Amino acid sequence: MVIQPCLDREVARYDCFPEIVLFDLVTKQTILLPEWEAAIYSYLLEQQQVNFDALISFFNIAVDELEFFEQHIEMLKQLKLIELSE
Amino acid sequence: MIVQDFSPKDITALLKTTGFKFKAGSFSVKLFSNIEGLAKGIATLYAHAEVPATACDFTVHLNTPFGLRRFFRPQVNFSLNGIEPFTPLPVSQALPLLEWGMNWCVTNHNHELLIIHAAVVEKNGTALILPGSPGSGKSTLCAALVELGGWRLLSDELTMVDLQTGCIQPNPRPVSLKNQSIDLAKSFVDKARFSPVVHDTVKGSVAHFTPQKNSIESASKTAQPKLIVYPKYIPNTENSLEQVSKGQSFIQMAENSFNYNVLGIEGFKALAKLHDNVECFSFQYDGNLEYAINTMDSLVR
């Protein structure tokens, strides 16, 4: 599975480590990305496109943490900040 | 000239004829009213305010309606340029309605500023922003800081952030107190500076007191925000001061803003700039104002 930031999304970013606050220029909503979501989203912005296995390798995710990690990715997907493809 | 140069009788005459002009914080108001007794409240709450010779920012009317309602349970209407944003209130609530109405004027017509529902005070060049929901003790803490702690009142209700500079524009208007906090404040503020207590308003019993003269005279002196403290008054609790993340604070400030959504990306940028320069805390206190003042002082040392 490949993960990448949504290309049709316009966001203004404000970094306040370890969080990110985003202003969605389409919906005019302000979104707070907590620690994990912020880290994943930042990394994806840098890389533009990442294979899921490479992502869990980068964040050093153990097998018993996978479900938890996937929930963070799902949240980013629901916020329409990333998209997943096979 | 200042309001103190006018007697309540003079003010009453002007209110009923050409209108009475006065500076309410950073903004000037021309007020017309036929309400008996209102002049005395204005003379108390705006004693040190300038009476401008020029045109005013807002021309407002505070009048009893025509007809039988003038005699039977009389009411009062607030209007700006013919717009009546509130339902009429009992005439006894004329002075609080004037204050609420002027807040409405400011928050609805000044979109070159980001306006946040929060008290703000300044000491040693540091502006401390105190956002808080009703009952959080925000206004009581603000009153204690300015009356007992030597802080300068910038506003007890509306924090106004300049979109370009990020500085806080003062708006020193009368401090609004509710219910038990009125008697508490009267223990450390001269009673002559208070308006009469008005009971049975939508907010309960309310009263206002006039800011210190130096706050009004320094109304053009902006301040750099460096602290945001979210106060929470809880009786019989353990006092605590804890850091709040900037992200959480950003979201709370956006929710507490009157015009963040109107400003859009400009509001976002202003809040981002504000959070670049501030430290954020939550402050839970048991009502011990001396402790609260010492804690706030420790943050600016």
Side-chain angles (χ1 to χ4, degrees), chain B:
Chain B
M1 291 182 90
I2 60 172
V3 171
Q4 208 169 41
D5 298 328
F6 293 75
S7 70
K9 197 177 166 188
D10 296 335
I11 297 172
T12 300
L14 289 166
L15 287 173
K16 289 181 177 176
T17 53
T18 56
F20 182 62
K21 296 182 192 177
F22 59 101
K23 205 83 190 277
S26 303
F27 304 94
S28 53
V29 178
K30 187 177 188 182
L31 174 65
F32 291 86
S33 180
N34 62 4
I35 308 288
E36 295 300 329
L38 184 65
K40 198 175 169 193
I42 292 169
T44 301
L45 293 183
Y46 290 95
H48 305 298
E50 181 194 339
V51 175
T54 51
C56 288
D57 297 306
F58 303 110
T59 298
V60 300
H61 290 76
L62 203 63
N63 288 315
T64 51
F66 293 110
L68 282 176
R69 211 57 211 254
R70 295 183 71 175
F71 309 104
F72 176 70
R73 292 185 185 168
Q75 292 183 318
V76 57
N77 268 329
F78 175 92
S79 69
L80 170 76
N81 303 331
I83 299 166
E84 295 179 358
F86 309 108
T87 52
L89 292 176
V91 75
S92 61
Q93 297 181 22
L95 196 55
L97 180 60
L98 176 62
E99 289 301 309
W100 299 333
M102 287 196 292
N103 284 346
W104 178 85
C105 290
V106 172
T107 55
N108 282 273
H109 298 88
N110 288 283
H111 301 315
E112 74 281 10
L113 301 161
L114 175 67
I115 305 177
I116 300 156
H117 183 211
V120 58
V121 294
E122 179 265 339
K123 193 176 211 179
N124 301 336
T126 293
L128 158 64
I129 300 172
L130 298 162
S133 49
S136 65
K138 161 181 70 83
S139 291
T140 311
L141 179 56
C142 171
L145 289 170
V146 297
E147 295 297 322
L148 300 172
W151 291 70
R152 172 168 71 108
L153 177 74
L154 303 185
S155 174
D156 95 306
E157 195 78 10
L158 305 177
T159 293
M160 306 195 305
V161 183
D162 187 295
L163 294 179
Q164 304 305 319
T165 66
C167 287
I168 306 292
Q169 183 177 314
N171 188 35
R173 297 247 312 276
V175 176
S176 169
L177 295 165
K178 297 189 287 286
N179 305 317
Q180 295 94 327
S181 62
I182 299 169
D183 284 339
L184 179 61
K186 281 184 175 175
S187 67
F188 57 81
V189 182
D190 182 1
K191 291 181 183 63
R193 290 168 55 199
F194 273 83
S195 65
V197 180
V198 179
H199 301 285
D200 302 321
T201 76
V202 287
K203 299 181 178 188
S205 298
V206 297
H208 293 78
F209 73 83
T210 186
Q212 292 183 3
K213 198 176 172 184
N214 73 320
S215 288
I216 295 165
E217 289 174 346
S218 310
S220 60
K221 193 176 162 193
T222 59
Q224 191 71 45
K226 291 185 184 159
L227 290 165
I228 300 174
V229 175
Y230 295 86
K232 183 73 187 163
Y233 162 64
I234 303 174
N236 307 315
T237 191
E238 197 171 317
N239 295 316
S240 66
L241 181 74
E242 288 173 10
Q243 199 131 24
V244 173
S245 78
K246 288 191 178 188
Q248 294 286 351
S249 176
F250 194 119
I251 297 294
Q252 282 200 53
M253 291 285 272
E255 285 171 358
N256 276 319
S257 170
F258 289 100
N259 61 348
Y260 178 77
N261 290 334
V262 176
L263 293 170
I265 188 66
E266 293 304 314
F268 175 82
K269 285 178 182 170
L271 269 189
K273 193 172 186 176
L274 178 76
H275 281 85
D276 274 336
N277 302 312
V278 295
E279 284 187 279
C280 312
F281 298 91
S282 67
F283 177 54
Q284 188 171 290
Y285 75 113
D286 62 0
N288 181 337
L289 292 175
E290 189 181 341
Y291 172 83
I293 292 167
N294 288 337
T295 306
M296 296 305 114
D297 280 346
S298 72
L299 295 174
V300 292
R301 275 188 206 120

